[in-house]
């Protein structure tokens, strides 16, 4: 592997302050995740406890992305070690946790819809808690090496990291695990889920002796449609918002065109980075659009908080 100038990789470093051009994003992201966590934690959204655990955990992981990759890295700059090392490492941890919790949620919904025998054992509150804990531990343990990849005095990847075959293998492995493998898994799981739902829908209509338009009154079909809309919207949002960043990373690593991506294609790089980070606040809006009960609970949560503050001021 030929030597590379460390400065040429500064765009790939998580210290990039490019989101200064989008000052509204930190506030939007932070507020959206706080509202999602507060609403879902009440447990009144008509969702099972296991699903609620996953959605709260995903919102929590997204909030960590906002804290470490937006607020601490792009609003408050840390240019020196060890603060920079810790913040950057936690940024990688939070992104990995957010991505793999999305995969875990997709798997949970696939099992619930397609594997009824396994559903009673896997799709439970306890099962969700175990999976969330496992994903969190693995996200931390697999990203600890990032702490040692930076220069001991400055917030730049060290010369040894850039030019070491071992570190190169680790870097490639990291890019494959987050988010290439999740892309593939989410697409496969969704394909299995769609196939099963279509087949089950045809069978159910035949058993009930109904026409297609009459099937809309079937409550079971309504529940399935709500589940698939929520699942697919989250999955499609994840794929679309990460796609630009994945393509940029592939070009940078396969073509070695780090400097070119920083100069002539700076707008594309900036857009990819913004979309990737924007994915950390989209789920709340997805819930609001696809789940009527969630919208009602958001209003109730805001009213409850407002009344609590008003009563406190009056006392």
């Amino acid at each position: 592997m030929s030597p590379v100038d460390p400065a040429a990789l500064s765009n790939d470093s998580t210290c990039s302050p490019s989101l200064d051009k989008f000052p509204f994003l930190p506030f939007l992201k932070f507020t959206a995740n706080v509202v999602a966590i507060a609403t879902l934690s009440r447990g009144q959204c008509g969702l099972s406890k296991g699903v609620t655990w996953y959605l709260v955990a995903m919102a929590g992981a997204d909030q960590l992305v906002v804290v470490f990759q937006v607020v601490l890295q792009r609003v408050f700059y840390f240019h020196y070690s060890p603060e920079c090392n810790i913040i950057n490492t936690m940024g990688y941890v939070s992104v990995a946790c957010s991505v793999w919790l999305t995969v875990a949620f997709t798997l949970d919904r696939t099992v619930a819809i397609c594997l009824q025998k396994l559903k009673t054992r896997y799709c439970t509150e306890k099962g969700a808690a175990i999976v969330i804990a496992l994903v969190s531990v693995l996200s931390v343990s697999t990203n600890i090496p990032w702490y040692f990849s930076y220069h001991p005095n400055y917030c730049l990847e060290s010369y040894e990291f850039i030019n070491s075959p071992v570190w190169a293998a680790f870097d490639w492995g990291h890019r494959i695990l987050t988010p290439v493998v999740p892309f593939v898994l989410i697409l496969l799981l969704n394909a299995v889920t769609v196939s099963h739902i279509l087949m089950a829908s045809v069978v159910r209509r035949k058993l009930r002796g109904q026409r297609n338009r009459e099937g809309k009154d079937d409550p079971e079909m309504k529940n399935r449609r709500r589940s698939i809309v929520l699942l697919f919207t989250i999955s499609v949002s994840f794929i679309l918002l990460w796609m630009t960043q994945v393509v940029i990373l592939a070009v940078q690593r396969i073509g070695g065109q780090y400097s070119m991506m920083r100069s002539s294609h700076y707008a594309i790089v900036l857009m990819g980075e913004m979309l990737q980070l924007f994915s950390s606040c989209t789920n709340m809006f997805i819930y609001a659009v696809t789940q009527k009960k969630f919208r009602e609970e958001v209003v109730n949560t805001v009213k409850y908080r407002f009344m609590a503050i008003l009563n406190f001021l009056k006392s």
Side-chain angles (χ1 to χ4, degrees), residues 60-186:
D62 289 341
Q63 191 71 308
L64 291 178
V65 174
V66 174
V67 170
F68 288 104
Q69 287 212 332
V70 179
V71 177
L72 294 180
Q73 291 180 4
R74 294 170 170 83
V75 177
F76 303 100
Y77 304 127
F78 291 85
H79 297 292
Y80 303 101
S81 298
E83 293 86 356
C84 175
N85 299 35
I86 295 173
I87 293 171
N88 288 339
T89 301
M90 287 304 302
Y92 283 113
V93 169
S94 59
V95 169
C97 193
S98 175
V99 169
W100 281 100
L101 283 175
T102 303
V103 175
F105 172 72
T106 306
L107 176 62
D108 179 88
R109 293 299 83 202
T110 300
V111 172
I113 294 171
C114 304
L115 303 173
Q116 294 298 314
K117 293 183 178 179
L118 183 59
K119 174 183 177 180
T120 56
R121 291 179 295 174
Y122 181 79
C123 302
T124 63
E125 184 178 8
K126 181 180 179 181
I130 292 174
V131 171
I132 291 168
L134 183 61
V135 169
S136 301
V137 171
L138 290 176
S139 297
V140 173
S141 59
T142 56
N143 285 282
I144 287 178
W146 284 112
Y147 179 87
F148 305 98
S149 68
Y150 288 88
H151 191 280
N153 298 318
Y154 305 104
C155 189
L156 288 174
E157 292 170 346
S158 66
Y159 182 86
E160 291 77 11
F161 169 79
I162 296 172
N163 295 284
S164 169
V166 175
W167 281 113
F170 169 76
D171 187 51
W172 270 99
H174 168 77
R175 306 301 175 183
I176 292 173
L177 286 176
T178 308
V180 175
V181 173
F183 264 50
V184 175
L185 290 177
I186 288 175

Side-chain angles (χ1 to χ4, degrees), residues 44-61:
Q44 304 297 322
C45 295
L47 301 170
S48 68
K49 292 184 177 180
V51 171
T52 300
W53 271 79
Y54 278 115
L55 297 184
V56 171
M58 290 164 64

Side-chain angles (χ1 to χ4, degrees), residues 152-305:
N153 298 318
Y154 305 104
C155 189
L156 288 174
E157 292 170 346
S158 66
Y159 182 86
E160 291 77 11
F161 169 79
I162 296 172
N163 295 284
S164 169
V166 175
W167 281 113
F170 169 76
D171 187 51
W172 270 99
H174 168 77
R175 306 301 175 183
I176 292 173
L177 286 176
T178 308
V180 175
V181 173
F183 264 50
V184 175
L185 290 177
I186 288 175
L187 288 173
L188 289 177
L189 290 172
N190 283 330
V192 171
T193 303
V194 169
S195 175
H196 178 85
I197 288 178
L198 292 176
M199 293 178 61
S201 298
V202 172
V203 172
R204 186 173 180 84
R205 289 193 184 102
K206 289 181 179 180
L207 291 175
R208 290 174 61 90
Q210 297 177 326
R211 296 179 181 275
N212 290 343
R213 61 185 180 185
E214 294 173 342
K216 295 181 180 179
D217 297 326
D218 185 352
E220 178 64 22
M221 294 303 298
K222 289 183 178 180
N223 290 333
R224 290 181 180 180
R225 279 194 291 270
R226 281 196 294 267
S227 296
I228 196 172
V229 167
L230 177 61
L231 173 63
F232 289 174
T233 308
I234 291 176
S235 301
V236 171
S237 171
F238 169 79
I239 291 173
L240 292 179
L241 292 175
W242 271 85
M243 183 62 69
T244 304
Q245 187 75 344
V246 170
V247 172
I248 291 172
L249 292 172
V251 172
Q252 288 178 334
R253 279 157 179 76
I254 295 175
Q257 301 179 15
Y258 300 98
S259 298
M260 183 196 73
M261 296 303 293
R262 291 177 58 234
S263 55
S264 61
H265 295 149
Y266 177 75
I268 299 176
V269 174
L270 179 60
M271 183 60 66
E273 182 181 355
M274 185 192 71
L275 290 175
Q276 179 227 315
L277 293 174
F278 192 72
S279 68
S280 62
C281 71
T282 55
N283 285 347
M284 196 279 289
F285 301 103
I286 290 173
Y287 307 150
V289 171
T290 62
Q291 305 292 310
K292 179 180 178 181
K293 190 67 175 176
F294 181 84
R295 294 195 297 271
E296 295 173 353
E297 283 304 307
V298 168
V299 175
N300 293 335
T301 300
V302 173
K303 286 183 178 179
Y304 173 79
R305 303 300 178 188

